[in-house]
Amino acid sequence: MISKPRVLAIIPARGGSKGLPRKNVLPLGGKPLIAWTVEAALQASCIDHVILSSDDVEIMTTAEEYGCDVPFRRPAELASDTTSTVDVVSHALQGHPGFDYLALLQPTSPLRTAAHIDAAFSLMQSHHSKSVVSVCQVQKSPLWMYHIDASQTLVPVIPKGTQVTRRQDLPDAFLLNGAIYFIAVRAFLEERSFLLPDTLGFVMEDDASCDIDSAADLMRAQAILDSAQQQETLTSNSADAVEI
């Protein structure tokens, strides 16, 4: 009998956000921003344990209120603007041995759901890959992007020889959306990275990929939630009318 792999979810949430102060506990759809990620992680069937890594007491208390395990307070030296995510995850793993995979779930991706998490893990397992990260399709291709050098000359981001002149000929391009990172624990410890040569891309919808870095992002997320609620109400009313 093949045993189910054990998966640890780590939610990193420091208190020192500069772009949108206190963003991890700001309200969205009637609950703190971080609650969306905690609830999605707890509801995902592939995840066995969910922990928070934070230096902030308010964030820690809020996460606990929504059912997240908060086994430690992150040291100050791992909560600066220059601290790498790899170091934060490595610190969290030290006290949690025995897991086969880890999931990094950033609280700034509130519209990522348990279904997304389970589907990403299933994709990785079905392809026998060691890692998968979530992406979304970009609207503007990097093949049409340029740097401007010191002489104000346009320099292609993609080297010459690969330029495309017709929009119809542009290949699809994808961007890491920051919502989901899965990796085998052993591979993470060896490579100290979430991106490996065989990393898979799990494609998410544009709205679900909403990443909260500014007040405008928070307003967009709220608008998406409001629109979904309105659509659900209209659908429910239509169903009631048919029954009548």
Side-chain angles (χ1 to χ4, degrees):
M1 179 177 178
I2 300 175
S3 60
K4 174 183 177 293
R6 299 195 68 227
V7 181
L8 174 70
I10 300 172
I11 301 175
R14 71 186 186 94
S17 172
K18 296 282 194 303
L20 184 60
R22 312 301 302 157
K23 67 180 176 183
N24 287 313
V25 291
L26 290 179
L28 173 67
K31 54 192 172 187
L33 180 66
I34 195 170
W36 291 87
T37 293
V38 171
E39 290 181 342
L42 291 173
Q43 292 166 10
S45 61
C46 68
I47 290 176
D48 297 282
H49 192 50
V50 185
I51 66 171
L52 176 80
S53 173
S54 180
D55 62 315
D56 187 276
V57 172
E58 183 182 8
I59 294 173
M60 294 166 69
T61 300
T62 302
E64 281 186 315
E65 289 174 352
Y66 282 86
C68 185
D69 183 17
V70 185
F72 57 82
R73 184 173 183 179
R74 192 194 303 178
E77 61 269 22
L78 291 177
S80 71
D81 292 338
T82 58
T83 301
S84 73
T85 301
V86 168
D87 288 338
V88 170
V89 172
S90 297
H91 171 263
L93 278 174
Q94 289 175 9
H96 294 82
F99 289 92
D100 303 295
Y101 293 90
L102 69 87
L104 177 70
L105 304 173
Q106 301 188 118
T108 49
S109 298
L111 305 186
R112 167 250 296 111
T113 65
H116 288 123
I117 296 170
D118 283 333
F121 187 73
S122 178
L123 175 67
M124 182 179 64
Q125 292 281 280
S126 66
H127 284 70
H128 306 289
S129 179
K130 295 178 182 177
S131 70
V132 62
V133 299
S134 57
V135 298
C136 59
Q137 188 168 354
V138 296
Q139 302 304 310
K140 303 296 182 181
S141 173
L143 289 171
W144 280 0
M145 294 182 182
Y146 295 81
H147 298 293
I148 297 180
D149 66 15
S151 65
Q152 296 298 296
T153 301
L154 287 174
V155 181
V157 170
I158 305 297
K160 288 184 178 180
T162 55
Q163 300 302 301
V164 177
T165 57
R166 297 198 318 154
R167 179 182 58 79
Q168 298 93 326
D169 297 330
L170 290 169
D172 292 338
F174 297 89
L175 176 72
L176 300 180
N177 67 3
I180 302 170
Y181 297 83
F182 270 113
I183 190 168
V185 171
R186 180 177 296 180
F188 174 79
L189 294 175
E190 291 175 352
E191 302 295 334
R192 290 185 59 79
S193 174
F194 286 93
L195 294 173
L196 308 176
D198 71 340
T199 295
L200 303 176
F202 173 70
V203 182
M204 288 175 54
E205 310 90 335
D206 185 61
D207 282 353
S209 298
C210 185
D211 184 29
I212 311 299
D213 284 324
S214 66
D217 293 331
L218 195 65
M219 291 175 64
R220 181 191 171 216
Q222 186 62 62
I224 292 170
L225 290 173
D226 291 344
S227 177
Q229 180 61 49
Q230 291 171 4
Q231 184 61 44
E232 185 177 330
T233 300
L234 288 173
T235 301
S236 176
N237 289 342
S238 296
D240 290 343
V242 170
E243 289 179 5
I244 291 173

